[in-house]
Amino acid sequence: MDGNTILAKALKQQGVEYMFGIVGIPVIDVAIAAQREGIKYIGMRNEQSAAYAAQAIGYLTKKPGACLAVSGPGLLHTIGGMANAQSNGWPLVVIGGSSDTSQEGLGAFQECPQVEATRLFCKYSARPASLSVIPLHVEKAVRFATYGRPGAAYLDFPGDLLGRTESGEEIENPLPLPDPPKSCAELSDIKRAVDLLKSAQRPLLVVGKGAAYSRAEGIINQFVKMTNIPVLATPMGKGVVDDGDIHSVAPARSLALQKADVILVLGARLNWILHFGRPPRFDSKVKIIQVDILPEEVHNSVQSSVALVGDVGAIMNQIATESQTASLKYDGNSEWWASLRAKCEANKVYNTGMAKDVSVPLNYFAVLTSVQNLIPKDCIIVSEGANTMDIGRSILQNKLPRHRLDAGSFGTMGVGPAFAIAAAMHCRDREPTKRVICVEGDSAIGFSGMEIETMLRYNLPIIIIVVNNNGIYNGLDADTWSIVRDGQDPTIATPPLSLLPECHYEKLAQLGQNGKGFLCKTIDELTIAVKEAMEHTSGPSLINVLISPVAQRKPQEHDWLTRSKL
């Protein structure tokens, strides 16, 4: 067998189902060998997008996707994806071709110190020394990517190694990896946690994407109903508890975080998304019970009152059992619940009022509310952008876990189309009738918009909705644009936040006969477009919705991004 075949067989042996990449010297035959072994190969248009798609499929399946890249610049393009996988805690294995070992140091084609370059952004980075040990390294890469907190792994393959052959008898083939072991917490710590919860006057449960990855939704919902605890989800923790559940207090997020006296944090880090767990966004005396799979994560930023290290689902089973014994139940008529419900209603009234304003040019709330009313309640929602993603988090609802994919912990723009491709492949193979809706800002779609050609090539029925305000955060209307730039050097006169007014992104979907593009300026036009896109299942649809360049989110009680005071 040659190196390409050995590598492909090893990936298949370890449960890799999908490979996303861009082929070229020296990895063309790796992709062919992967297909021969039954691994699905999806050719992308940018290596960064390939890495994004591979990690998203890893999040959805708990099996790492493989990302295939050529040497030098191809591999370097994947580093953004590796960093994103590390930050999100999603499993990813990157396979990079590299220049021949016999030409190292001579200035070979695309020569690059790839193992060293990736090491900062991986849990494991290595170059197999011979054909016989390729399966050992593949097993180790998959193990590092999936065990503990998931993340990225990198394997480097010089072209001359891939081209060599070796007898099958000399190849060491490890057994397929079992599922990662699930660890529990000390029973004494579980009792301390439940005692603390029982003492709470203003309890709160925060659910992160680590809980979603753990598949802990069953026991979490059981615990919520048993205890009547208010629930707040991080962006990709949405759906672990249905956003429409009576226990969800997402519309009262600021109040819930600021006033809670005991917070149970499940699979979420106290990073920028949760304002580091510090005042003024949190009570200075708040007691935190932190559940995380990574020991080094607990007590980060603030010291938790109780730290429980292990699998979220396994630990929640322990907490639920002890809570039942302790008869933990919160009063639904308490002042705490009353204040949360009042704040939720006030914010819902604001959103509803903004959504009723359907005057042209449209605002975010009108567009996103209309989309929410038209799309299936069980669809996977991919979202990225600035205002588009942030406002969409409160309006676009998730009933099910792992049904929201967004910019994540790293705040990465450009992930949307790739995440949507991964989600659509996942649905095609497991739930063919489920739809994927990708809601993008006009800035966000610019990072990786050519992946629409990938959607066209693989007949993926993704619906992309571009909320187009002519800029980054905000832009200029067409008339003002003309006045500002009239007779001026555009590199000096164009405001840095501005993009081309009323750009026709919908034409991207019209690159192939199986795509549909729509330009919408009114809610009636948007309604017709979404309904037609829902009926179109042979390829992607792109709905370009023009909104006011100065449309904004709701005024914030606090800045959404906590900044240091210098």
Side-chain angles (χ1 to χ4, degrees), residues 107 173 226 245 263 291 330 495 512:
N173 282 300
M226 178 177 70
D245 190 279
I263 303 178
V291 181
Y330 298 110

Side-chain angles (χ1 to χ4, degrees), residues 14 69 85 105 109 125 141 153 160 175 213 227 243 248 258 298 322 357 369 400 411 432 459 468 474 500 525 563:
Q14 297 305 330
F109 175 66
S125 182
D160 52 347
L175 293 172
Y213 184 83
T227 62
D243 282 342
S248 174
Q258 194 172 32
V298 298
E322 182 64 26
D357 178 6
T369 301
L400 300 169
N459 306 114
N468 186 351
N474 52 66
L500 185 68
E525 291 172 347
R563 306 297 301 273

Side-chain angles (χ1 to χ4, degrees), residues 409-437:
S409 304
F410 211 38
T412 308
M413 291 294 105
V415 296
F419 281 3
I421 288 168
M425 295 300 302
H426 178 260
C427 291
R428 174 178 287 181
D429 293 341
R430 291 166 173 82
E431 298 179 84
T433 60
K434 189 180 290 288
R435 299 306 297 268
V436 177
I437 315 295

